[in-house]
């Protein structure tokens, strides 16, 4: 437990409309946590929100909020959505009956739920306290002090505004969005001395202003680490997707001085997934953002440094050192390097798509845009899992979702469970053998020209939203001739480097390369960037862990 001085004003809040249940929850909480935390209870969502606002005004901290799902006027999910605006750092638990399990699963995405508990929770020693202990421990390890949110003022159909919002959201930086056309947006522009010609405007919590900031400038001003604290490490991990985060967790936890370098936001493509249902240990699914947040916190808790918005442009070998060079000319060196750069979605080459990217045409799930798709007709291009997950997520808010697939069916490239869910969704239509020929619109997407592959016939349809998930290209161009890659740019490693059991011609060691070791000793690859990898979250995490084991073996023999 934390010291009393640290928690004298820290609150655990519980809300349930049944007075008997409300008193029972509060009783169990006080019995376990009453000496260290203040337990506040409420019997309606509105009274609980009022209590939160009063706590905020007094400067109190709220560590955990427990809300019953079935409440009149305002159910538990609706309450937690509003409570997040007041205390975004508080851990959130939904109390449900067995029949409400689906609602709890939905809440994972809607309010980034930390946990849900089935009622009754007796005995609390087994079903309530272990959950609360873990959440309180995570809250204490986080920056739980109230932080005024960043403000972003931009145009709805501005590509750069969309990029800034996506960057902040994926890096889990709290922000509020204001359209430049609404009164409050105009007031903020006037206060910053701007006429709205250059957008977006970003206002930091301290009151500083940024006009059309690039990623490194934005990251530095909103409190993300961008500069390494040392010049030399045991391990540099390049890429913050599942493989990179897995490597950072295992490297730091096993005593290696570890730094992870990410060019945009941790999580990679998996971090943009609305829901991952086939990852071990999450039978009810988990959002990519939630999984990423937990992995990032886990890595930093073990001591790994995580640098954001740093573009890697080169890898150099000098004796025992491996030097990673950044786009700004700086560099960091290490005994070993793990390449976990992942892949990016290929660009759709249809006429007009490039001009409308960020203005109705999006690559990846662009979860920040999902709210704007309410009651809209949405098109998704792609036939693999990422496209299927996005279709299921957007189908909850969109009027209709049309999945455009070049192949003859989904079964060839999509997991069976997703195919089944899509078939059961009443507002999802799959158009097989269909490609996008052109995108039309002035300042935003308005129509699409679709072509039937078999007949060659074109059809023009109204469309304001298109999300693209086609193919994957490795982010390895910057490696140049440093490590061997295949014809598509994927990195060769281990057995794929050898011919007849012999290592590559320029291999300088007596032993053959380790399983995930590239053509450069001490440089390893993990995850989607590796040639012939499985392209699954679980396998990427496993390869990140395995690469660290091989790093240890390499360091022991160096």
């Amino acid at each position: 437990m934390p010291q009393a001085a640290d928690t004298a004003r820290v609150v655990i809040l519980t809300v349930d409309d049944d007075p008997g249940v409300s008193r029972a929850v509060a009783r169990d909480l006080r019995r376990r946590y009453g000496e260290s935390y203040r337990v506040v209870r409420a019997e309606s969502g509105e009274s609980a929100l009022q209590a939160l606002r009063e706590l905020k005004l007094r400067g109190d901290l709220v560590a955990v909020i427990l809300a019953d799902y079935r409440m009149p006027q305002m159910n538990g999910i609706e309450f937690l959505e509003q409570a997040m605006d007041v205390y975004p750092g508080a851990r959130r638990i939904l109390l449900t009956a067995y029949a409400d399990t689906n609602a709890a699963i939905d809440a994972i995405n809607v309010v980034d739920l930390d946990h849900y508990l089935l009622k009754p929770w007796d005995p609390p020693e087994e079903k309530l306290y272990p959950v609360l202990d873990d959440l309180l421990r995570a809250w204490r390890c986080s920056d739980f002090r109230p932080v005024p949110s960043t403000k972003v003022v931009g145009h709805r159909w501005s590509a750069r505004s969309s990029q800034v919002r996506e960057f902040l959201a994926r890096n889990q930086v709290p922000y509020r969005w204001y359209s430049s056309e609404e009164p409050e947006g105009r007031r903020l522009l006037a206060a910053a001395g701007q006429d709205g010609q250059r957008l977006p405007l970003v206002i930091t919590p301290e009151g500083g202003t940024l006009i059309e900031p690039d990623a490194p400038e934005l990251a530095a001003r909103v409190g993300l680490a961008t500069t390494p604290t040392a010049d030399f490490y045991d391990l540099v991990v390049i890429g913050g997707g599942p493989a990179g985060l897995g490597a950072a967790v295992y490297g730091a936890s096993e005593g290696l001085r570890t730094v992870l370098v990410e060019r945009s936001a941790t999580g990679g493509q998996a971090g943009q997934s609305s829901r991952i249902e086939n990852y071990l240990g999450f039978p009810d699914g988990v959002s990519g953002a939630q999984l990423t947040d937990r992995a990032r916190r886990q890595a930093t808790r073990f001591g790994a440094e995580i640098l954001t918005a740093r573009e890697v442009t080169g890898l150099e070998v000098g004796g025992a050192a491996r030097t990673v060079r950044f786009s700004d000319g700086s560099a960091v060196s290490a005994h070993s390097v793990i390449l976990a750069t992942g892949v990016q979605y290929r660009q759709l080459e249809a006429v007009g798509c490039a001009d409308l990217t960020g203005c109705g045409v999006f690559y990846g799930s662009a979860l920040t845009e999902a709210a704007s798709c309410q009651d809209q007709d949405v098109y998704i291009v792609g036939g693999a899992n990422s496209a299927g997950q996005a279709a299921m997520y957007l189908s909850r808010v969109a009027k209709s979702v049309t999945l455009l697939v070049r192949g003859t069916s989904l079964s060839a490239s999509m997991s069976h469970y997703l195919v089944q869910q899509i078939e059961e969704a009443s507002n999802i239509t799959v158009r097989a053998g269909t490609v996008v020929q052109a995108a039309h619109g002035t300042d935003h997407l308005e129509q699409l020209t679709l072509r039937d592959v078999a007949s060659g016939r074109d059809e023009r349809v109204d469309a304001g939203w298109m999300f693209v998930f086609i193919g994957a290209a490795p982010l390895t161009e910057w490696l140049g001739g440093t490590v061997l890659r295949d014809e598509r740019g994927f990195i060769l490693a281990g057995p794929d480097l050898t011919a007849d059991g012999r290592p590559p011609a320029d291999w300088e060691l007596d032993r053959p390369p380790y399983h995930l070791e590239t053509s450069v000793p001490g440089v390893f690859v993990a995850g989607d960037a590796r040639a012939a990898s499985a392209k699954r979250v679980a396998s990427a995490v496993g390869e990140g862990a395995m690469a660290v084991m091989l790093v240890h073996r390499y360091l022991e023999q160096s």
Side-chain angles (χ1 to χ4, degrees):
M1 288 290 180
Q3 296 299 316
D6 295 332
T7 59
R9 295 169 65 85
V10 177
V11 171
I12 299 174
L13 183 139
T14 174
V15 53
D16 195 302
D17 67 300
D18 185 322
V21 175
S22 177
R23 286 192 294 270
V25 175
R27 179 198 63 221
D28 286 345
L29 292 174
R30 290 191 179 106
R31 187 171 64 188
R32 172 82 168 193
Y33 306 102
E35 292 185 3
S36 300
Y37 297 89
R38 179 184 168 202
V39 177
V40 175
R41 73 179 184 92
E43 295 181 3
S44 73
E46 190 54 49
S47 63
L49 286 172
Q50 183 60 34
L52 287 174
R53 296 184 189 108
E54 292 175 0
L55 292 168
K56 190 78 169 182
L57 289 174
R58 291 200 299 264
D60 292 349
L61 303 175
V62 176
V64 176
I65 300 173
L66 301 91
D68 181 53
Y69 172 65
R70 289 178 177 265
M71 294 190 295
Q73 286 82 52
M74 182 188 301
N75 68 36
I77 297 175
E78 294 168 339
F79 161 71
L80 288 173
E81 281 191 273
Q82 297 189 49
M84 286 173 66
D85 294 335
V86 186
Y87 281 97
R91 305 298 167 176
R92 294 172 285 279
I93 299 177
L94 192 68
L95 300 176
T96 69
Y98 183 80
D100 300 324
T101 302
N102 287 337
I105 294 172
D106 289 342
I108 291 174
N109 292 317
V110 176
V111 296
D112 198 14
L113 194 69
D114 292 290
H115 210 282
Y116 68 88
L117 291 173
L118 294 177
K119 297 188 296 185
W121 57 87
D122 291 323
E125 288 77 12
E126 294 181 12
K127 298 183 178 180
L128 177 64
Y129 298 153
V131 172
L132 264 293
D133 287 345
D134 286 343
L135 293 181
L136 288 168
R137 189 178 302 112
W139 179 83
R140 291 196 301 270
C141 292
S142 66
D143 186 9
F144 50 76
R145 292 165 296 181
V147 179
S149 63
T150 298
K151 301 179 180 67
V152 180
V153 183
H155 191 275
R156 178 185 181 186
W157 299 116
S158 160
R160 186 59 192 139
S161 295
S162 176
Q163 291 165 2
V164 165
R165 293 173 65 194
E166 192 79 0
F167 179 86
L168 293 173
R170 292 189 59 201
N171 281 290
Q172 296 173 22
V173 176
Y175 75 92
R176 294 195 64 179
W177 162 256
Y178 300 89
S179 170
S180 58
E181 299 173 352
E182 67 182 54
E184 184 61 21
R186 291 196 295 268
R187 283 193 288 269
L188 290 170
L189 285 170
Q194 298 296 315
D195 58 7
Q197 295 301 307
R198 298 178 60 201
L199 293 173
L201 164 70
V202 178
I203 304 171
T204 67
E206 297 76 25
T209 58
L210 305 171
I211 307 296
E212 299 178 318
D214 59 18
E217 180 186 15
L218 183 59
R221 292 290 294 275
V222 298
L224 299 174
T226 59
T227 305
T229 61
D231 296 325
F232 199 90
Y233 294 82
D234 293 319
L235 172 63
V236 173
V237 180
I238 304 175
L245 287 169
V249 167
Y250 281 92
S253 67
E254 294 175 11
L256 297 178
R257 292 170 297 168
T258 302
V259 60
L260 183 150
V261 182
E262 167 57 45
R263 67 176 189 147
S264 178
T266 50
Q269 286 187 335
Q272 296 176 278
S273 176
S274 56
R275 188 173 174 190
I276 302 168
E277 294 188 78
N278 59 352
Y279 187 65
L280 185 67
F282 291 89
D284 299 317
V286 61
S287 72
Q290 191 174 35
L291 187 64
T292 297
D293 176 55
R294 293 179 178 184
R296 182 185 178 109
R297 285 192 281 117
Q298 193 173 17
T300 55
R301 183 167 67 85
F302 283 124
E305 290 182 37
I306 297 180
L307 308 182
T308 305
R310 295 306 302 264
E311 186 80 26
V312 176
T313 58
L315 174 64
E316 299 174 1
V317 179
R322 277 65 182 129
T323 299
V324 174
R325 297 212 168 271
F326 301 121
S327 57
D328 63 357
S330 62
V332 65
S333 298
H335 292 299
S336 58
V337 172
I338 294 177
L339 303 172
T341 50
V343 296
Q344 63 181 358
Y345 294 113
R346 289 193 294 106
Q347 303 293 294
L348 196 62
E349 296 180 358
V351 174
C353 280
D355 294 335
L356 295 172
T357 298
C359 304
V361 177
F362 302 95
Y363 290 86
S365 57
L367 296 180
T368 54
E369 305 296 334
S372 301
C373 296
Q374 183 81 36
D375 299 325
Q376 302 291 310
D377 296 316
V378 176
Y379 286 81
I380 295 176
V381 183
N385 278 10
S386 295
Q389 290 161 351
M392 290 303 302
Y393 179 72
L394 291 170
S395 69
R396 299 171 182 173
V397 296
K399 177 183 177 182
S400 71
V401 176
T402 302
L403 204 53
L404 305 176
V405 185
R406 179 185 290 271
T408 57
S409 71
L410 292 174
S411 58
S413 54
M414 189 178 292
S415 294
H416 180 64
Y417 79 91
L418 270 175
V419 175
Q420 286 184 311
Q421 290 180 0
I422 288 170
E423 290 174 347
E424 294 170 0
S426 60
N427 63 338
I428 298 180
T429 301
V430 179
R431 293 188 54 164
T434 304
V435 296
V436 177
Q437 281 296 105
H440 313 278
T442 50
D443 62 342
H444 64 91
L445 178 66
E446 297 173 0
Q447 292 184 317
L448 293 172
T449 296
L450 307 181
R451 173 166 295 179
D452 183 275
V453 175
S455 66
R457 289 197 305 270
D458 287 349
E459 176 189 2
R460 193 149 169 164
V461 298
D462 292 333
W465 304 89
M466 180 172 69
F467 299 88
V468 182
F469 303 81
I470 54 168
L475 296 167
T476 60
E477 299 88 351
W478 59 275
L479 285 168
T482 309
V483 300
L484 292 178
R485 297 176 292 159
D486 66 14
E487 64 279 0
R488 294 187 298 162
F490 290 94
I491 300 170
L492 299 170
D496 294 330
L497 286 169
T498 62
D500 300 325
R502 297 191 303 272
D506 56 352
W507 182 257
E508 59 189 51
L509 302 181
D510 294 334
R511 62 168 179 81
Y514 295 133
H515 183 66
L516 298 177
E517 196 168 21
T518 70
S519 57
V520 176
V523 176
F524 300 81
V525 61
D528 291 359
R530 183 177 66 84
S533 62
K535 308 295 187 292
R536 289 290 185 267
V537 175
S539 61
V541 173
E543 287 191 7
M546 182 186 295
V548 170
M549 178 192 73
L550 298 174
V551 164
H552 278 290
R553 189 178 300 174
Y554 167 77
L555 294 176
E556 289 169 358
Q557 297 183 2
S558 296

